Amino acid sequence: LCVRTALATTDFYDEDGMCNQVSIVCCMTHQCQLPPVDSSPVCVCFGQRCGGSWGTTEMHENSIFDPRKVMDETSWIVYFLCAGCGVNKCDQGCFSWQYKECCCRGSTNLELPMVDDVGCSSVGTACCIWSECQMPRAKPNPFIACCMLRYNTDIYGGPKQIIM
């Protein structure tokens, strides 16, 4: 298996609050979000809920997790106010992690070595400079290019980044 990682900047306070984290390792789910996610339980101890539900934020719309599976289908061992740990049905992968801390958002998950016939790839943007690497190379990308000089002359508009 291979690791896919993404990192991006975001608004300080977004639909998913100021900070949050969801991680799944085998059958264990950990979730935390400030302010609490909508419909999160006030208190759970070994599956016994008390205090109803509360929360004012949502999980991010481009989450790598299904919010319903995380919040509703997890058997919470303990959950208090905005964070908890529970057991899942092992239907969301072996390892996945997603977070938002103030103005940074990122995710990591395991995937197969070849996805859409691509072994590895990287796309990055810093100010007005972008970089891309993919093996095997994406057509019609140049074999090599530097300072607008290209080994082949196929027209290409630049790499596309996944919006997180």
Side-chain angles (χ1 to χ4, degrees):
L1 293 176
C2 295
V3 176
R4 176 185 294 253
T5 300
L7 176 65
T9 57
T10 188
D11 293 331
F12 183 79
Y13 192 91
D14 208 350
E15 66 196 16
D16 54 346
M18 208 167 19
C19 60
N20 64 64
Q21 178 176 311
V22 178
S23 65
I24 291 180
V25 179
C26 297
C27 65
M28 297 301 295
T29 299
H30 299 265
Q31 190 273 340
C32 177
Q33 186 161 319
L34 280 174
V37 67
D38 187 36
S39 78
S40 64
V42 172
C43 182
V44 175
C45 187
F46 294 102
Q48 298 299 313
R49 291 179 177 249
C50 60
S53 298
W54 73 315
T56 58
T57 58
E58 300 174 3
M59 290 183 87
H60 192 259
E61 63 184 16
N62 292 327
S63 175
I64 61 174
F65 299 105
D66 180 350
R68 185 183 53 80
K69 286 184 178 183
V70 172
M71 296 309 298
D72 299 335
E73 295 181 12
T74 299
S75 298
W76 296 108
I77 297 168
V78 63
Y79 199 101
F80 186 68
L81 300 178
C82 63
C85 174
V87 179
N88 63 52
K89 297 177 181 177
C90 294
D91 59 353
Q92 297 192 64
C94 182
F95 172 80
S96 297
W97 177 57
Q98 175 177 294
Y99 75 94
K100 177 189 182 290
E101 301 295 333
C102 299
C103 62
C104 295
R105 179 184 309 283
S107 65
T108 299
N109 61 343
L110 294 179
E111 63 182 26
L112 296 172
M114 294 291 281
V115 176
D116 297 328
D117 295 326
V118 175
C120 65
S121 65
S122 170
V123 175
T125 303
C127 297
C128 61
I129 299 171
W130 57 266
S131 65
E132 175 192 29
C133 177
Q134 178 177 306
M135 289 183 249
R137 76 180 173 103
K139 306 269 185 205
N141 287 359
F143 178 72
I144 189 168
C146 183
C147 299
M148 302 303 290
L149 299 173
R150 299 170 186 246
Y151 180 71
N152 63 348
T153 58
D154 296 334
I155 305 291
Y156 183 60
K160 302 286 188 254
Q161 287 186 306
I162 297 172
I163 302 300
M164 293 183 64

